[in-house]
Amino acid sequence: MREKKSEKVWECKYTFGDEVADGKIKQIAQEMGISEKFAVLLYNRGYRTSEQAERFLKYQESDFHDPYLLADMEKAVCRILSAVENKEKICIYGDYDVDGVTSVSMFYLYLKKLGANVSFRIPKREGEGYGVSCMAVEQLAKEGVNLIITVDTGITANDEVLYGSSLGVDFVITDHHECRSELPKACAVVNPHRPDCEYPFKDLAGVGVVFKVICACEIRQCLDNGTPILDGIKRVTYEYADLAAVGTVADVMPVIDENRLIISMGLSRMEKVCRPGLEALIEASFTKKSQDTSSKKRKITSRMIGFGIAPRINAAGRISDATIAVKLLLEENREKAAEYAEELCEINRKRQYEENSVAAQAYDMIENDPTIDDDLVIVLESNDWQQGIIGIVSSRITEKYGLPSILVSFRGSMIGGEEHDMDDGKGSGRSVKGMNLVDALTACEDILVKYGGHELAAGLTVKRGCLPEFRQKINEYAKEHLTEDIFRIYMEADCELDMRDLTMELAQEVLLLEPCGTSNATGNPTPAFIMRNVNVKRITHTRDGNHTILQLEQNGAFITGMYYGVGATELGFEAGDSIDLFFNVEINDYKNLCSVQIIVKDARLAQDFVDVINNEKRRYDEIRQGGEFLSAERIIPDRNDFARVYTMLRREYRNGNGILDLKGMMRLVNNTEEEQINYTKFKYVLRILNELKICDIEELNNDIYSFSVSFNATKTNIEKSSILRKLKSQCSDRVHKDAQ
């Protein structure tokens, strides 16, 4: 199967020229004292007046929605506070990802503070798998647990809840995953995705739902104590917003509405008074040994969570035990927290190794199995894969091939050296825009043991004997629902900029939108821009060759662009070319010197530049076929032109370069103040040098040349060239002058 080269389509959210919109943008800019470009960003995010924009930028606790708008919240609070008051044994049951770990930690800390008899349990991927199990419920019942509170899980645990009831164990379900048609028969089911739930914001993470439950409990106690409700909300926000922020960012939820409030306040809390466990993990993740003696306070950002904290917490649940991550977040002793943090970093290193190993096996399976070529959903299986790794490998496969993928691990299901059809395989899948993975799995539910998740990511359990039927059925579903549009990646920019717009003022204004979501998130994505016809002055690469640094110029203005994850062979352009850019803006703070730089997300040859090249090629073909030209086109080479090209070829050949592309040769020759040798003239110079045997030059393919140079060549009269004589005869005004 070949990699699907997705077409990247750039779209602009706002184009100047709409009289009404331009007027509103100017008004917002004037009334708020901001630049018009920043006003465009606010306008794009739905804020049409300065008052709306001000409210968006200045968030506070009073902006949170009433938690009691969530269905079953009253029931949940009553059952939880009753269990606390009666000293019932409570167990918080969570998922093993970052959302689950932060949810467990937050609820545990809160209930402990209330004096509850509380414990927590997170299942291990290996052996137990995702979600609540009857085995776990039975074990907890034997331990005397009266109430199980699920966090970030449980919405599909219908059978397990019924089993718990038969053992005298009550359930309060808190979750944010998609609901089935029938909800579990628990004491309360708190999930904004319930069809009957009228809560105004549906995109809370699991930890966000827990945050709302804690707020509701605090409101109840404020009412009982006669204290201001807002004081209670502020207290909960101060104590737990950091954990809520980590879980929300890690689960890649839209950074709008309450999520933006949670993340903003959480990041602020982490900068002022960082929880010992989080501080230790940040230090272990980002501080390079034997370096960074600066006393400057570290800026805590969403990116730091997404790329530093989250992978390390996730790693524990993937290949070890998520309980380690919970212990880190609960730890108050800084030395002990540092030990847990280092342990998580080591687990993450092992995770990276395992991930690369599984990915290599998966790619090999795809490339060597011709039966997969016609599939729209890639389904792979193995007895050896760690179940905690297959989700992220599935992400890599989907990104590489542009198709939904599901990896299933039957690890541990070999009995007596034989495969058993009744053994359960744990699967993890990722999808693409256009196919809701949960809907696809629902269409296959008759052959699945269980499943659940989100639109683009889901988990499942399937019996070995059902896997061929599952593969067939989900591919039939995909053929009905997927179109060729899946091979297009739509990248939406806020607007187009010139390089002169990239000021420190704009970069500082952009920071006011933080925290932002990923580029394809709804509501408040990281601001993105398009800039056209930018000259590439210099290209350098990082030591490992994985990233590129671009020195760029436009109309006399200069800027540096960082192109992460793109190496030298992947650029598609060279120094001297003109390119179009899709990028973000940021402030680079290096040794206390601040400058504006751009983060390149995509780059391509500028269309104007491509048009010029194509016109030059077309003109060369016309002249080679006998077409006339004017002397003003400067097509006919003189002795100096031949000397310059020959000198370049001789130098490059001496240095071991026997193959060059025409564009590179033109750049080497035209890097002086002498008159530029144009495309057609350069092509003719090469042909004539070869004709006269001054050099041995062969065009291999589409302006790629191989050549050799004799260092003992004798002087040759250029005028002997038949190609040159014919070329001169095609110059129409020269012929006219000669006739006179």
Side-chain angles (χ1 to χ4, degrees), residues 280-346:
L281 192 54
I282 290 169
E283 288 301 310
S285 305
F286 292 99
T287 302
K288 296 180 180 178
K289 312 296 182 192
S290 72
Q291 164 182 323
D292 201 325
T293 57
S294 169
S295 59
K296 187 175 181 180
K297 191 170 180 63
R298 188 187 300 277
K299 175 75 174 172
I300 308 296
T301 64
S302 298
R303 183 179 178 84
M304 187 177 288
I305 293 173
F307 292 93
I309 296 173
R312 287 161 175 81
I313 293 177
N314 261 331
R318 291 189 185 283
I319 66 172
S320 183
D321 186 350
T323 300
I324 300 168
V326 176
K327 289 179 178 178
L328 169 77
L329 297 180
L330 300 181
E331 185 58 59
E332 295 184 358
N333 181 281
R334 295 187 181 279
E335 290 184 5
K336 187 65 177 174
E339 293 176 12
Y340 283 133
E342 188 52 49
E343 185 176 359
L344 287 182
C345 288
E346 180 58 33

Side-chain angles (χ1 to χ4, degrees), residues 447-491:
I447 49 177
L448 296 175
V449 177
K450 63 179 181 178
Y451 66 92
H454 300 290
E455 178 182 350
L456 298 179
L460 60 96
T461 301
V462 60
K463 295 190 180 299
R464 187 188 298 275
C466 295
L467 195 61
E469 184 183 357
F470 169 68
R471 180 183 285 111
Q472 178 183 347
K473 199 163 186 177
I474 199 167
N475 269 284
E476 289 172 353
Y477 180 91
K479 286 172 184 175
E480 291 179 12
H481 292 82
L482 284 177
T483 66
E484 281 299 313
D485 203 46
I486 65 170
F487 300 123
R488 291 192 183 94
I489 299 174
Y490 290 93
M491 302 174 67

Side-chain angles (χ1 to χ4, degrees), residues 38 148 257 272 285 336 362 534 547 608 621 659:
F38 184 55
I148 295 175
D257 205 285
K272 292 173 183 173
S285 305
K336 187 65 177 174
V534 178
H547 314 293
D608 291 349
D621 289 339
I659 297 179

Side-chain angles (χ1 to χ4, degrees), residues 395-406:
S395 292
R396 290 170 61 172
I397 290 171
T398 292
E399 183 177 355
K400 181 174 183 176
Y401 294 98
L403 295 171
S405 66
I406 296 172

Side-chain angles (χ1 to χ4, degrees), residues 31 52 140 165 331 347 350 369 405 456 472 535 562 627:
E31 292 177 356
Q52 292 175 344
L140 291 171
S165 296
E331 185 58 59
I347 292 170
K350 292 178 181 177
D369 185 353
S405 66
L456 298 179
Q472 178 183 347
N535 300 316
M562 301 299 301

Side-chain angles (χ1 to χ4, degrees), residues 556-619:
F558 293 83
I559 201 164
T560 298
M562 301 299 301
Y563 204 172
Y564 293 110
V566 177
T569 60
E570 305 167 277
L571 283 178
F573 57 84
E574 301 171 344
D577 289 348
S578 179
I579 61 174
D580 294 339
L581 296 164
F582 190 104
F583 62 97
N584 307 131
V585 177
E586 74 170 22
I587 297 174
N588 179 34
D589 186 353
Y590 180 68
K591 294 184 178 179
N592 294 323
L593 292 175
C594 293
S595 61
V596 180
Q597 71 176 17
I598 65 173
I599 306 300
V600 179
K601 295 299 181 181
D602 193 25
R604 59 186 63 159
L605 288 173
Q607 189 58 52
D608 291 349
F609 183 73
V610 172
D611 289 344
V612 168
I613 293 173
N614 289 337
N615 287 336
E616 288 177 341
K617 289 183 176 181
R618 184 167 55 252
R619 187 63 179 132

Side-chain angles (χ1 to χ4, degrees), residues 339-593:
E339 293 176 12
Y340 283 133
E342 188 52 49
E343 185 176 359
L344 287 182
C345 288
E346 180 58 33
I347 292 170
N348 189 53
R349 285 188 281 271
K350 292 178 181 177
R351 186 272 304 169
Q352 290 171 326
Y353 175 81
E354 289 286 338
E355 178 189 332
N356 290 334
S357 175
V358 172
Q361 294 174 47
Y363 294 150
D364 188 61
M365 293 166 70
I366 293 168
E367 299 301 334
N368 292 292
D369 185 353
T371 64
I372 293 178
D373 284 351
D374 296 327
D375 287 352
L376 289 178
V377 181
I378 300 170
V379 181
L380 306 174
E381 63 174 298
S382 173
N383 292 320
D384 302 318
W385 294 338
Q386 276 204 322
Q387 291 166 3
I389 299 298
I390 56 178
I392 42 181
V393 175
S394 177
S395 292
R396 290 170 61 172
I397 290 171
T398 292
E399 183 177 355
K400 181 174 183 176
Y401 294 98
L403 295 171
S405 66
I406 296 172
L407 273 61
V408 181
S409 172
F410 289 95
R411 181 167 171 149
S413 64
M414 298 288 286
I415 301 176
E418 297 181 0
E419 296 180 3
H420 288 254
D421 287 344
M422 298 303 292
D423 292 335
D424 290 348
K426 307 295 183 184
S428 188
R430 299 294 184 267
S431 192
V432 296
K433 189 175 181 180
M435 191 181 94
N436 185 311
L437 194 51
V438 173
D439 289 348
L441 295 177
T442 301
C444 307
E445 64 181 350
D446 58 320
I447 49 177
L448 296 175
V449 177
K450 63 179 181 178
Y451 66 92
H454 300 290
E455 178 182 350
L456 298 179
L460 60 96
T461 301
V462 60
K463 295 190 180 299
R464 187 188 298 275
C466 295
L467 195 61
E469 184 183 357
F470 169 68
R471 180 183 285 111
Q472 178 183 347
K473 199 163 186 177
I474 199 167
N475 269 284
E476 289 172 353
Y477 180 91
K479 286 172 184 175
E480 291 179 12
H481 292 82
L482 284 177
T483 66
E484 281 299 313
D485 203 46
I486 65 170
F487 300 123
R488 291 192 183 94
I489 299 174
Y490 290 93
M491 302 174 67
E492 190 172 54
D494 280 282
C495 63
E496 289 193 22
L497 296 180
D498 292 327
M499 197 172 289
R500 287 170 295 188
D501 295 320
L502 299 177
T503 62
M504 183 62 71
E505 177 192 11
L506 178 63
Q508 289 171 336
E509 287 178 328
V510 164
L511 289 177
L512 297 176
L513 295 178
E514 290 288 348
C516 298
T518 54
S519 295
N520 60 351
T522 58
N524 187 33
T526 301
F529 306 96
I530 292 171
M531 188 161 51
R532 303 191 187 278
N533 300 313
V534 178
N535 300 316
V536 181
K537 305 302 288 185
R538 187 181 176 200
I539 299 174
T540 54
H541 303 282
T542 54
R543 280 185 189 173
D544 58 12
N546 294 331
H547 314 293
T548 298
I549 305 166
L550 303 172
Q551 301 300 329
L552 305 166
E553 180 269 339
Q554 185 190 64
N555 297 323
F558 293 83
I559 201 164
T560 298
M562 301 299 301
Y563 204 172
Y564 293 110
V566 177
T569 60
E570 305 167 277
L571 283 178
F573 57 84
E574 301 171 344
D577 289 348
S578 179
I579 61 174
D580 294 339
L581 296 164
F582 190 104
F583 62 97
N584 307 131
V585 177
E586 74 170 22
I587 297 174
N588 179 34
D589 186 353
Y590 180 68
K591 294 184 178 179
N592 294 323
L593 292 175

